Amino acid sequence: MKHLSVGSRWNADLVAEYHERWKQDPQSVEADWRAFFEGFELGLSLPPKPAKGVAAGPGAAVDAAAQAKVFAAIHAYRTLAHLQAKTNPLADPTPYFELTDKALGLDTLSATQPYYTGDFLGGQMLPLSEILAKLKATYCGPIGVEYTHIQDGARRRWLQERIESCGLRPAYDAAARRSFLRTIVQAEQFERFLHKTFVGAKRFSVEGGETLLVALERLISRSPGLGISDIVIGMAHRGRLNVLVNTCGKKAEYLFEGFSENHVPDTTNGDGDVKYHLGYEGERSVDGRKVAITLAFNPSHLEAVNPVVLGRARARVDLQSDGKRSAALPVLIHGDSAFAGQGIVMETFNLSNVKGYAVGGTVHIVTNNQVGFTTGPEEARSGRHCTEIAKFVEAPIFHVNGDDPDAVVLATEIALEYRQQFAADAVVDIVCYRRYGHNETDEPAFTQPVLYRTISNHPSVAELYASRLTSSGSTPDGELAGLRTEFEVLLNAAQDRAKAAIAVEVAEREKTPAAVCPFQSPYDASVDTTAPEALLQKVAPALWTMPPDFAPNPKIKRLLDAKAEAFKSGANFDWSLGEGLAFASLLAEGYPIRISGQDCERGTFSHRHAVLHDPSNDAEYCPLNAVSGGESIELVNSTLSEYAVLGFDYGYSLEAPDSLVIWEAQFGDFANGAQIMIDQFIASSESKWGQTSGLVMLL
């Protein structure tokens, strides 16, 4: 009885079997079962309190086994209904057998018989038909949710209450819904303008997934009220131009200049990069409060930017003396195939709750186009959903129909609230489609003819939503046409400004003779790295002096004594002593230090011993944090990852230029595992993006 679960029909059948035994001979079952059946039948034999609008018959009793089947059905819908939710805008869901009345054992029960709902709907007596109708309305609508895999009871109950209290039914007023429509039309018109103005140019359109922009807008608008002051976004190429202009605030004319065939990029300070790799830093005002918006630069390598974003978010909080992790929100936007296929996704998830890398949770948004370049879901992954990897960290997953902006906003809000409440990751899987091929010059009908026949006949998100709002009275007739005209005028004006700027550029180029000016970093490497003897004399004793209540391992104690003797004699300095003095002097001069890597506290070759352990009680002590009047040092034994950890520390270094940020490879050649990060970010970011990093790699 202690481990009773009513999660399946088989358990319900077991309850029925025990119940029959108890009725024939109460002593034939355990004492726990006897108490259960006695109390259960007593309670259910009483006249139930009639639910609103339901007249309960006098003395109506409920069979315990039947009630158990109802409980099992409630659990089944919470667990499995995402499999038949209406989340795909291009197809109706396939009925899932495990949720049929027959599979749940409900086919023999009366639909009008009232049953107790337990922790569903606050514990009511309702007819079976009404219980099932409410379960289907909540869990089989445009949002399919996965949360029962979460083992933490508090988190699971919070989600259950948040989901079932609103029935996953959005209730936004007309003003909010009109703002959603405005964002969608703005995104749509931007893409259409690029398509007709710069024919044949690659832009990696977001069309079909425009509700991504609505989700981002909601994250921004809710942020100040939840204590968020910084949002750091990482995403690949699809939809990036739209996000740059319509979310981050980059002026459209600057982007349009880059499309002109007469534009010659200035490579004086570097080679530059394609438009859909560029980042941006801006600021948005929400009800008078500022929210910093950063879109991280990204190479073509999918998902590579993920740990970089997390490193930047952590550093922003670390640099604020009273900062809270919840104040900086990382938002990672994924593609469906990349989310399932790229190993860096798992490596980054694994950092989410590890000391030295936690960022207070990340909101993940998947723009699920249901195809990756030319690869269908059946070839792209083994799991049923592209989001299965998120269960690795027990993140809740909201699958939502991309043609339903209200549902997308609600799912995004719940994910954001969960992140703020529990400092944990949450995933919003926007099931949408890709209007064109992988890029606008690609022909998707070569490889997905049936899918793209459906897409070509499918109305746009803006058209569907505008029609819905007009039908409900939320917007007047002609709202869609009016918005399209408004944004067309604005985009044409931006293009006129871009043309004028290009004309000036061409005229200046004609007046100035061509010249070769190779890229050369402006930095001077001749830096004085010496430290005054007086400073070293001041900081050195901290390296071998222990608190009175701390006793290190005897072997370590001998090493510390040898350090002290070497320093006093001025001879026999080893790497450990030299490194320790360098770190201590930097800390004393006001420079924070972060060292991250596999086994970096002790050092791979037992050469550092920067964090000591007392054998008697396993207490830890870091001598460098005892440097008088100095900054603090953070030493972090990393997860067994090179790619994600190096990316995280690179991102951290971007936000902490006055700190010494070090990534240490366990063995030098292990850096091979992070080669993408070295090639695409560390070695080339200054030339491509004008972005400099002071990261130090110890190999």
Side-chain angles (χ1 to χ4, degrees):
M1 177 64 188
K2 289 185 175 65
H3 303 291
L4 173 65
S5 169
V6 290
S8 68
R9 181 179 180 178
W10 292 272
N11 288 334
D13 291 342
L14 180 65
V15 173
E17 178 187 335
Y18 280 19
H19 187 226
E20 285 301 318
R21 282 196 214 166
W22 174 81
K23 285 195 293 186
Q24 294 177 20
D25 179 10
Q27 299 303 316
S28 66
V29 297
E30 296 176 8
D32 286 342
W33 281 107
R34 289 199 299 273
F36 171 74
F37 290 130
E38 288 167 4
F40 200 65
E41 288 222 336
L42 175 63
L44 292 176
S45 65
L46 298 174
K49 294 180 181 179
K52 186 176 181 181
V54 176
V62 178
D63 181 79
Q67 178 66 65
K69 291 177 181 179
V70 173
F71 284 155
I74 292 171
H75 181 75
Y77 272 89
R78 287 169 172 166
T79 305
L80 301 173
H82 62 92
L83 297 171
Q84 66 176 36
K86 301 179 180 68
T87 57
N88 189 346
L90 302 178
D92 292 328
T94 302
Y96 191 65
F97 175 74
E98 296 297 329
L99 291 177
T100 61
D101 288 353
K102 182 175 179 60
L104 293 170
L106 305 178
D107 52 330
T108 59
L109 304 185
S110 169
T112 59
Q113 171 69 46
Y115 291 95
Y116 182 55
T117 62
D119 62 356
F120 180 59
L121 303 176
Q124 306 179 51
M125 293 296 296
L126 294 175
L128 176 60
S129 59
E130 188 172 341
I131 294 173
L132 292 176
K134 290 183 181 296
L135 284 168
K136 290 173 182 176
T138 300
Y139 288 104
C140 298
I143 302 175
V145 61
E146 295 184 81
Y147 69 95
T148 57
H149 58 279
I150 298 173
Q151 298 181 50
D152 185 294
R155 298 184 185 192
R156 196 172 58 250
R157 285 189 294 272
W158 184 93
L159 284 162
Q160 184 173 295
E161 169 62 24
R162 183 67 176 86
I163 290 163
E164 294 176 357
S165 63
C166 69
L168 286 182
R169 292 294 170 181
Y172 300 110
D173 60 24
R177 300 180 82 196
R178 290 181 73 176
S179 73
F180 302 162
L181 178 63
R182 183 178 182 84
T183 299
I184 291 166
V185 177
Q186 183 182 38
E188 179 190 75
Q189 285 305 110
F190 177 82
E191 298 290 357
R192 290 183 173 187
F193 184 85
L194 293 181
H195 193 67
K196 71 178 183 181
T197 306
F198 309 107
V199 179
K202 285 185 181 181
R203 56 191 170 90
F204 297 101
S205 164
V206 78
E207 286 171 274
E210 292 94 337
T211 45
L212 166 66
L213 279 294
V214 184
L216 291 175
E217 285 299 314
R218 200 59 170 184
L219 288 176
I220 294 168
S221 66
R222 287 289 310 274
S223 287
L226 293 172
I228 298 169
S229 58
D230 288 81
I231 298 177
V232 187
I233 303 171
M235 67 182 299
H237 43 276
R238 185 156 314 284
R240 191 181 190 90
L241 301 184
N242 218 310
V243 170
L244 274 168
V245 172
N246 292 323
T247 301
C248 298
K250 181 173 183 173
K251 290 187 179 297
E253 52 263 38
Y254 296 160
L255 181 70
F256 295 165
E257 288 176 30
F259 278 100
S260 172
E261 60 185 13
N262 293 318
H263 174 63
V264 178
D266 181 3
T267 57
T268 304
N269 296 313
D271 297 327
D273 203 352
V274 291
K275 294 176 286 295
Y276 37 83
H277 288 174
L278 300 181
Y280 194 80
E281 293 195 22
E283 193 175 68
R284 295 276 296 273
S285 179
V286 180
D287 297 329
R289 288 178 285 184
K290 302 293 185 183
V291 180
I293 310 291
T294 300
L295 177 62
F297 292 92
N298 191 63
S300 293
H301 297 65
L302 299 175
E303 308 291 340
V305 76
N306 296 358
V308 177
V309 166
L310 268 57
R312 296 186 70 170
R314 182 175 176 91
R316 288 195 178 189
V317 173
D318 284 353
L319 295 174
Q320 302 170 20
S321 58
D322 59 345
K324 297 179 180 178
R325 293 277 167 236
S326 59
L329 172 66
V331 178
L332 295 179
I333 302 170
H334 313 271
D336 49 317
S337 292
F339 198 53
Q342 292 291 327
I344 189 67
V345 174
M346 186 282 293
E347 290 189 35
T348 305
F349 266 125
N350 197 37
L351 298 177
S352 63
N353 200 32
V354 175
K355 182 189 77 169
Y357 304 95
V359 293
T362 299
V363 172
H364 301 263
I365 302 177
V366 181
T367 49
N368 187 346
N369 297 312
Q370 307 185 66
V371 63
F373 210 141
T374 67
T375 301
E378 68 284 351
E379 299 168 307
R381 61 179 185 264
S382 296
R384 186 181 294 271
H385 294 297
C386 66
T387 53
E388 299 296 333
I389 189 63
K391 295 177 183 176
F392 169 61
V393 292
E394 298 183 24
I397 303 165
F398 299 87
H399 308 282
V400 56
N401 191 314
D403 271 359
D404 191 331
D406 296 345
V408 169
V409 170
L410 177 59
T412 304
E413 286 192 313
I414 298 175
L416 177 61
E417 292 166 12
Y418 176 86
R419 185 264 180 181
Q420 294 301 99
Q421 179 73 22
F422 297 106
D425 290 32
V427 178
V428 179
D429 174 25
I430 303 177
V431 185
C432 51
Y433 57 91
R434 190 185 66 194
R435 176 67 68 180
Y436 301 102
H438 178 66
N439 61 63
E440 288 65 37
T441 63
D442 194 46
E443 177 48 78
F446 289 160
T447 51
Q448 277 83 24
V450 175
L451 174 64
Y452 271 85
R453 190 179 308 125
T454 301
I455 290 173
S456 65
N457 295 320
H458 191 75
S460 73
V461 179
E463 291 164 349
L464 290 170
Y465 193 53
S467 175
R468 199 181 313 156
L469 295 191
T470 301
S471 298
S472 67
S474 296
T475 62
D477 285 336
E479 180 92 350
L480 176 59
L483 287 171
R484 282 177 168 170
T485 300
E486 176 188 343
F487 290 119
E488 184 73 11
V489 169
L490 292 172
L491 291 166
N492 275 311
Q495 172 65 350
D496 289 342
R497 292 191 293 272
K499 287 180 178 179
I502 290 294
V504 172
E505 178 189 323
V506 171
E508 289 295 322
R509 197 161 57 238
E510 290 174 349
K511 290 190 295 184
T512 306
V516 176
C517 183
F519 168 65
Q520 185 173 5
S521 176
Y523 301 107
D524 183 359
S526 57
V527 178
D528 182 10
T529 61
T530 62
E533 182 180 355
L535 176 61
L536 297 180
Q537 292 287 351
K538 176 184 176 183
V539 301
L543 300 179
W544 52 78
T545 303
M546 300 293 108
D549 59 347
F550 183 90
N553 182 289
K555 292 182 180 179
I556 302 299
K557 180 64 168 62
R558 288 196 292 273
L559 291 176
L560 297 177
D561 291 342
K563 278 186 182 182
E565 182 59 33
F567 181 80
K568 291 170 185 175
S569 67
N572 299 319
F573 278 44
D574 60 10
W575 174 276
S576 178
L577 178 55
E579 181 188 73
L581 290 171
F583 291 160
S585 62
L586 285 171
L587 293 170
E589 291 174 334
Y591 297 101
I593 299 174
R594 173 186 166 90
I595 308 176
S596 157
Q598 294 157 24
D599 313 297
C600 71
E601 291 183 359
R602 193 203 74 172
T604 302
F605 304 103
S606 201
H607 62 281
R608 180 170 293 129
H609 294 294
V611 177
L612 308 178
H613 298 261
D614 189 324
S616 66
N617 55 18
D618 206 26
E620 294 184 0
Y621 178 68
C622 177
L624 284 166
N625 273 327
V627 173
S628 177
E631 276 285 348
S632 63
I633 183 170
E634 183 179 32
L635 292 114
V636 188
N637 283 338
S638 77
T639 61
L640 199 61
S641 156
E642 289 80 35
Y643 190 0
V645 173
L646 179 56
F648 188 100
D649 289 324
Y650 167 78
Y652 195 101
S653 73
L654 296 177
E655 300 291 336
D658 294 325
S659 300
L660 173 60
V661 182
I662 297 174
W663 175 75
E664 182 174 65
Q666 188 181 55
F667 293 90
D669 59 347
F670 284 11
N672 293 349
Q675 199 63 50
I676 289 174
M677 203 58 64
I678 294 169
D679 292 347
Q680 298 300 321
F681 290 90
I682 296 169
S684 58
S685 63
E686 183 178 6
S687 179
K688 291 192 297 187
W689 310 320
Q691 191 168 55
T692 58
S693 163
L695 178 70
V696 174
M697 293 190 293
L698 295 182
L699 307 181

